[in-house]
Amino acid sequence: MASKSRFVVGSHVWVEDSDEAWMDGLVEEVNGEELVVNCTSGKKVTVNVSNAYPKDTESPRGGVEDMTRLAYLHEPGVLQNLKSRFMLNEIYTYTGNILIAVNPFQRLPHLYNNDMMRIYKGAEFGELSPHPYAITDRAYRLMINDRVSQAILVSGESGAGKTESTKSLMQYLAFMGGKQQAEGRSVQEQILESNPVLEAFGNAKTVRNNNSSRFGKFVEIQFDQNGKISGAAIRTYLLERSRVCQISDPERNYHCFYMLCAGPPEVCEKYKLGEAKSFHYLNQSNCIELNGMDDAKEYAETRRAMGIVGMSSDEQDAIFKVVAAILHLGNVEFSEGSEPDSSAPKDEKSQFHLKTAAELFMCDAQGLEESLCKRVMATRGESITKNLDPKAAALSRDALSRIVYSRLFDWLVNKINSSIGQDPESKILIGVLDIYGFESFKTNSFEQFCINLTNEKLQQHFNQHVFKMEQEEYTKEEIDWSYIQFVDNQEILDLIEKKPGGIIALLDETCMLRNSTHETFAEKLYQKFKDNPHFSKPKFSRSDFTVHHYAGNVTYQTDLFLDKNIDYAVNEHQVLLNASQCSFVSSLFPPVEESAKSTKFTSIGSSFKQQLQSLLETLSATEPHYIRCIKPNNVLKPAIFENSNVLQQLRCGGVLEAIRISCLGYPTRRTFYEFVNRFGILQPKVLSKSHDEITASKMLLEKANLVGYQIGKTKVFLRAGQMAELDALRTEVLGISAKKIQTKVRSFMSRKKYVQMRICATQLEAVCRGTLARRYYENLRRQAAALKIQTRYRMRQERNKYRDLWSASTTIQSGLRGMAARNKLRFFRKTKAAVIIQSQCRCHLARSRYVRLMKATIKTQCAWRGKMARRELRQLKMAAKETGALQAAKSKLEKEVEELTWRLQLEKRIRSDMEEAKTQEIKKLQSQLQESQQQVKDTEESLKREQEIAKAASEKAALVPEIRVDATLVNELTADNEKLKTLVTSLETKIQETELRFEETDKLREEWLKKATDAESQINELKNTMQSLREKFNSVEAENNVLRQQALKARHDNVPVLNMHRKSNLANGSLPGDEQTPHGTPMEFGRRSLIERQQESVETLINCVVENIGFSDGKPVAAVTIYKCLLHWRTFEAERTNVFDRLIQIFSSAMQKQDSNADLAYWLSNSSSLLIILQKSLKPAGSGITTPLKRTTTQTSFLGRMVFRASSITVDMDLVRQVEGKYPAFLFKQQLTAFVEGLYGMIRDNVKREVSSVLSLVIQAPRTAKAGLITDQDSYWKAIVNHLNDLLKILQENCVPAIFARKIFSQIFAFINAQLFNSLLVRRECCSFSNGEYVKQGLEELEAWCTQAKPEYAGSAWDELKHISQAVGFLVIFKKFRISYDEIISDLCPMLSVQQLYRICTQYWDDKYNTESVSEEVLNEMKTLVNDASGQANSENTYLLDEETSMPLSLDEIASSMDAKEFQNVVPPQELLENAAFQFLKS
């Protein structure tokens, strides 16, 4: 209750205004109970104290997210808070646990997507910004944890966005509880797709909304024990049937009619449809088409949705056939018939539509006409047929249309329910109620009456819930609330639905009387409720009545109450459509028992009341959650907020009623921290650390002399008006403090001005004296300078004369001496050049003769040896027919091959030496030629210089005494020049001859190389021949062994079986006989078979590498060892082998250790190194790439290759070389790639999990710090750095390739960037100045870590933090209001989008220095750009950052990151080196 002490001069208040509902102003005078207020609009008004409300001048520009935190919880405060948030596109606001949603009338795609769902998943209620997802998540969590069913009630007037809010709720429930099904559509998909179907048949355009739901819908979503959707059911209430036949301009009928008329041409032709404006039920309004809505596209979408929810194609055709029949039925007009008071179709057009309707209904056309034009009256023992006049026939036609459409809609709902299916075993559910809001029009009929009854019942339920929440809050804080009274609207409900005696009961009673009219019904109401305070009769009406609802008075017109309340079909219509040949139509009208026809009466009102009672019972059994939808304006355009309209909706939605209930108790609640922070100036000593917050709050309240307040456990609870009294005291203290500050400031400014003037005078005197002194000093300097200049000038003149004479003498002397020296130098060079040329020529001739002799000798020897080898080969072939000679031939051939190989190598070495010698000789000749050319060039240059010098000397001859020139010396020089020219000519000729000889030598070299290649091919043929002889020898030996064993009749019977098994393996190529007994001795019984030896080798390798065998030279030993073994055994070329499967099992078992980063890093190092080697080594078969180690034998079996021991000499000993791989090898490579990706992802996710737990504490730091729960916030960043150091140490110890380390750290930093940046966008407490400083400090630690880790491992990880670093850099700027938008996007935050910047600027607050956000101009510019971007079809759907979850590396990038030579020096494990079967690892 208002008191005089609440307001003083200068107080900011709210006063009522006829145009803006509430207007703020400043109190100029206080005259007792009257206030003179100067409003911001310029008006000056006088109001009573009781009609003025205090205004909170310290509320943030963007409002508060929860209106229970408002300093003043009253109508203008709530309205201003909603408006402030709406103008910043913050359309959601809490009032306790109630969500208020203001329709933005524009797309805001960033608020509804999977990223936003993941943000709200599991978040504590109130921790993030208000959102329907938060309400849904809270309901879902309560259902799962408490095993109690929940209900979400969405209400609001038409156009407020109820349907869209319901869709977002359903999407989130599908996101949380959806599950995949093996076949068909899942339950959640069918629930979501049922919306388009129900909207098509149950939504229409009204005056206030283009897509208004004309029915109530309650969706029950059932969940199993695991929280997954297991079933669902849809309940509908009170479809507006009258809209089928009657619409007013500018409304539309149900969408399905217009969709069908705009359907494909074949559909229109099938149903004989024309344009929508040609049908009576549609052309009653001028609105046929809607802007932004394509009826043809909606038709196709509706058909698709009907298929998803389980309606077959035949059922869909039948549904639209009924819709088309209703349209044709509406075009049937009636005129007077041949008999009195009878009717008949008016013309041929009416006959056509009547016949078409009958065809679509598949019933008798004549029977349809009679059912419309006649009525059968049943009496005792007989029935009388009564003709209907044209007006009554038209009413009968409309009744048929209404009942058919109503039955069709009910069938759709039942079909959707049966298709989705219900879970009988489900014990918990979440219900979503999408119900029409309170309605009050110029004409209010029976539909508005039922709608407002629903809202009265729901408001009572809402009031009880609000009061219950208030009780829970008081109980939680342990304060006394026993004296608070609760008043609800039960009297209004009794007026409407009490039985007997309520309005609905009187309506049913009137409907049962045959001759009753609406006037009779009105008279009964007037007599019955004339003394009821909630009922009244309008002055100028005979049949209207007014009900005083909680949201306001509504006057109802009773003209159609009786007709709309009757709930039975005309018997003739029932019989006609039940006999339809269309099974679908007949199913809509099942047969009715005769007894039911005559005795039972039901009404829409009673049925609706029963449905409503059932709904409330369901809601009472659940935990309710409320969403109140608000329509900000009636023009349905964005950025328009009509105060009066919104205020009326707040009243209708019960929000102000909830505030009234709160005001009965303690409407103002402040935490101790907030209370002390705001009112601590009333008693400054409470701000010292010696008092805790509770004691400080009590001292402040005692200082203010307040009574009636209460102190809870965490909050201070104030009665209504007490907050204003405290603010008045605070304003008074601030005023006194301001005066003191002003006095001190004025004194300080005056003294400062005096001191500045005195300093200026002193400085001026000093400047004047300094100027005079500088002028005197300047004159002295000029005089001294003049003397020095004169002295220097005279000295320079004399020096120039002496320098000219000295220069002429020196030039003449130097010319003469230089000529003599050059002559001597030329003679020396000539002599030396001749000696060098002679020695080189003699050397070249001797070397050429030697080379020709050596080549001829080698060629002759090769030809002779080849001839002898072929002769011996023929002899060996002849001798190979005898078994005893094979062994000797084999040994001899091996020696021959080795000798030939050695000779070939020798010949290659000689050839390379010859080529090297020839190359050196050519280089020497070229160098000699260059020297000769250089000598010629030098000689020519020297001649030119001498000529120039001679010419210059002749010019100076006039100044110098004549010098005699020796003519003999000149002649000698001329002769020497001629000789040099001759020598140069001869050298050029020799050079040309040398080039010709070089070309001839090159041709000879090519011929020799060709011959050597032929010899090498012959050697390969010899090898092939030797190999074939080996195979024959082995096969003969195996057969001899079998015969010996059979002849010896060994004891054991399994020996022949074993030999036969070996022969079969030999036949299919899986076991070649390369391994034989020494010296060809017989095979002993009990000797291990080859298969056992091969398997033993594989087992030895597997047992070795399965353990951690460490690293060598910075590379994993296991990977290199595996590759060497596979290469030696020629496994890559095998068509079939199980070794790859064994290796894959090793990596699979390694991936089971998901929690050990050390083990994962070890196997990542091995698998990636092996993958790099395979990428560089394997090539597809038939690719044409040759390799120096390619063997001539072809083995198709891994086991055969494994036992094969090559006798050829290895020339190239590189570890990695190209091998033609078969399918198993490339399959192994693909599997290895998958394992590398999996191991990489596990390590990254493990570190993310560790860092995420710390990041959550970092994000919560502003809230916990504010509550005083933590003291050392820096420990969080140190923990993150420790996790990064641990990971870096593990990666370095396990020699993981640096490219993986760089990518892992880059993705971890990107994860940190996304988490921190998203927290700024969705958590307002994080978007503050102090939190910006805190995060910036942590980012500096991360940057220091990147510098310490070096680019080899950290890479570009720091660049991943650009979003959060730029954002916090913007947060910690003090004077943001001076920054322009261009400066923000170009200099400060170039990485941030305009949506992200706008979100940060609107959420920014400063709890430390009270700095302001950006200016209004910048904010408006951002808002315009955001709205433009939201309207684009290809705009981003979210302003949140995503995190990359895949491995951002290709196989080529991994392979190119390391050189194959780095694996060359890896030492194999000692365990294998000691094994005789692995001696090849030593090479």
Side-chain angles (χ1 to χ4, degrees), residues 1101 1104-1105 1107-1124 1162 1165-1166 1169 1173 1294-1295 1463 1465-1470 1472 1481:
L1101 175 64
C1104 179
V1105 299
E1107 302 294 336
N1108 189 338
I1109 56 178
F1111 304 89
S1112 174
D1113 196 25
K1115 298 295 179 289
V1117 176
V1120 179
T1121 303
I1122 291 172
Y1123 175 74
K1124 284 185 176 181
Y1162 171 77
S1165 176
N1166 279 278
S1169 299
I1173 299 175
N1294 290 277
C1295 301
F1463 299 96
N1465 300 324
V1466 175
V1467 178
Q1470 189 65 29
L1472 295 181
L1481 295 176

Side-chain angles (χ1 to χ4, degrees), residues 887-903:
Q887 182 64 27
K890 174 185 174 185
S891 302
K892 188 175 182 178
L893 283 174
E894 288 178 351
K895 293 179 180 179
E896 290 292 337
V897 170
E898 291 177 0
E899 183 179 356
L900 288 174
T901 304
W902 178 83
R903 289 177 181 174

Side-chain angles (χ1 to χ4, degrees), residues 92 101 132 154 160-170 432 627 629:
Y92 296 116
V154 184
K162 299 187 300 298
T163 303
E164 294 301 321
S165 296
T166 303
K167 288 180 182 178
S168 65
L169 299 178
M170 304 288 285
V432 179
I627 297 179
C629 297

Side-chain angles (χ1 to χ4, degrees), residues 1080-1110:
T1081 58
M1083 184 181 294
E1084 299 177 358
F1085 175 79
R1087 179 186 173 189
R1088 293 179 302 169
S1089 65
L1090 295 178
I1091 298 177
E1092 293 175 350
R1093 293 181 61 190
Q1094 295 149 10
Q1095 292 179 349
E1096 182 180 352
S1097 299
V1098 174
E1099 290 294 335
T1100 303
L1101 175 64
I1102 298 299
N1103 294 333
C1104 179
V1105 299
V1106 74
E1107 302 294 336
N1108 189 338
I1109 56 178

